[in-house]
Structures are given as structure tokens and as C-alpha cells.
Amino acid sequence: MILMDKKLVDAKSANAIAGQKQEKDVAFFLRREFKDNPEVFVFNDYKFIYNDETAQIDHLILYKYGFILIESKSIAGEVKVNELGEWTRSYYSKWSGMPSPIKQVELQQKLFKEFLHHSRTDILGKVLGIRQQSFGGRSWNNICAVSSKSIIDRKNIPHEISNTIVKSEFLTDKLIEIMDLRSGILNKLNPLDVRPDFNEDELKSITNFLLSNIKNKVEKIIKEKEVEPEVKRAEVILKCKKCSESEEITPKYGKFGYYITCKKCEANTPMKAPCITCKSKKTKVSKKKDSYTLSCLDCESQRVLI
């Protein structure tokens, strides 16, 4: 079941375009395999904030036994990983190091666990006053999905790392193997499967929590956009730099930005000036209808000039 689709952005750079295509390809395979599966919940491009840190999980899967985090990586050339877990990649026959996507998704998993643990009582609830088992006891897996065109040199890759790297086209096979979802009858016939699981109510509660986090974040962004920043009126009115005239002036725009022309002496005076609040010279002038505002890039204060 797909609960969040991948949102496309207007990517500009070649790397951003390739990265977005890889995430889109992975989302396609996940949709093809799990869109009609009521036991698997897929969140593409899941973002959350916890403890003043922001994380973005390319693809998040929730199922009855736990969670799987998937990091998408667009790699067109060859990939090698040494015994220390250090990654290198080739690009036009030139080798260079690259950050480990496995370490990246491990950091995301750690913060995500803390995020869920913080709200565990609200999500999982209590049974007869006893707190339910927390999220840490569930199954947690990480996968790095690389481009199908990449070449993976697995000769020297440590087994535990090689086991987490999979090409996009084989991703769903790997996920099905990890989740090992069986019918209720088969589970009962397998006494060795002692994995703690989420019941239907808990799965519903978790999905509602994750979706409400997105909803609350969107609503907060909308409210912040609706509240316009306070703009203070200038303490010093614009004056002609030559004769100090402040009434008989005309705002204009030229090669070097906004300026005023004095009607008495015909001198030109730039509107851009140091910040009145912090004296910073990093300021800019903007126009909205007939109003001109001086904004400071350092202290973020704003003053109406005219």
C-alpha cells in the first residue's frame, strides 16, 4: 500500500536530475509490487524533524514485524567498497571517494528510532497499564538501492555490507526476503519465528502518526507563509546626499539598483545604505507596489524607506 508518493522537484544540476530519476525508479518498483498489498506500507520521500535535526528517508517501509529504510543512489559507473566500509566510484574512468550511503541511512535510522521512541506511548499505547514493547525490539533493516546500470565489484566487499547493496530491479525481491511475510497458518506451523509483531490497530496507529507528522509540518509552513514579517519604518528618511532634501525626491531604478533623484538639485542618491539596526553593509533594496524596503542580510531586519 503506497501512503506517500515521490514528489518531483525542478532539479537543475545533472547530479540532482540523476538522483531524482533513481528515487523515481525505486518508487516505481515499490508501487508495482506493493500497491495492492494491505500488509506493507510504503512512504516515499519521508521527511521528519526531531530534536532540532532534520532527516529525509528516500523510501520507508512499515510492515507487521518492523521497518526497512531504503537509500537510493544514482551511480552510473563502477562501485567498490573496501574492508573498512569505505566507498569509491568511477566516473569516466576516474576513481574518487564518496560518502557511504550505508552510514547515511544508519544515521537516519537512529534519528527515526528516537523520533518514534519519544512518542511510543501515544502510538503503541498501554495494555492493562503496562507499556507495550517499544520500537527498538522490532526488526530494523537498511538497504542501499543503486542504479541498475551500475557495476558492483563485490569481490572485497564485506558480506554484511554487500548484503545491503542491491540494484533497483532486484529491490523488491530483497524486500520480500527480508520481510518474510507468511500467512497466519504458516506462522503457527513455524515455532522458530518468534519475531515480535505489530497488530492491526498498532499498524494503523503508526501510519496515522507518520502521516499526521507530514500534515502538521505542511500546516506550519503554510501558517509561516501567511504571517508576513514585521517591517519597521525607517528612523531616518531618505535624503538627497547633496542638499539633504527629503520631500522633493523621485524614486528610480538604474544600472546600479534603486536610487532617488532630487527635484531641486537633480543629484542622484542610492537607496542602498548600511543597516540602521546593526550597521551591516550587507543590505538590499526591494520594491513592492509603491513601497521601497531596505532589508539586512545579517540581522534580517527590514525598514521602509519610502
Side-chain angles (χ1 to χ4, degrees), residues 199-258:
N199 60 40
E200 290 186 11
D201 290 338
E202 289 170 338
L203 287 171
K204 184 177 180 180
S205 181
I206 296 169
T207 56
N208 286 340
F209 171 78
L210 295 177
L211 292 173
S212 67
N213 171 65
I214 296 296
K215 180 182 178 182
N216 293 339
K217 187 174 70 174
V218 171
E219 289 177 348
K220 181 181 178 182
I221 293 173
I222 292 174
K223 287 181 180 179
E224 289 176 349
K225 287 183 177 180
E226 289 176 346
V227 178
E228 294 188 3
E230 179 183 359
V231 180
K232 297 181 179 180
R233 195 156 288 279
E235 297 172 2
V236 180
I237 301 174
L238 274 176
K239 295 181 180 181
C240 173
K241 66 180 180 181
K242 185 175 181 180
C243 67
S244 298
E245 173 61 35
S246 61
E247 297 293 335
E248 297 295 317
I249 55 176
T250 303
K252 293 183 179 180
Y253 181 79
K255 180 180 179 181
F256 300 104
Y258 293 104

Side-chain angles (χ1 to χ4, degrees), residues 94-120:
K94 292 183 179 180
W95 287 90
S96 62
M98 64 174 286
S100 167
I102 301 300
K103 286 298 180 184
Q104 184 177 347
V105 75
E106 285 176 354
L107 290 174
Q108 294 168 351
Q109 185 202 83
K110 182 177 183 296
L111 188 65
F112 187 61
K113 278 185 178 180
E114 294 173 358
F115 173 58
L116 293 178
H117 181 75
H118 179 73
S119 301
R120 63 193 182 282

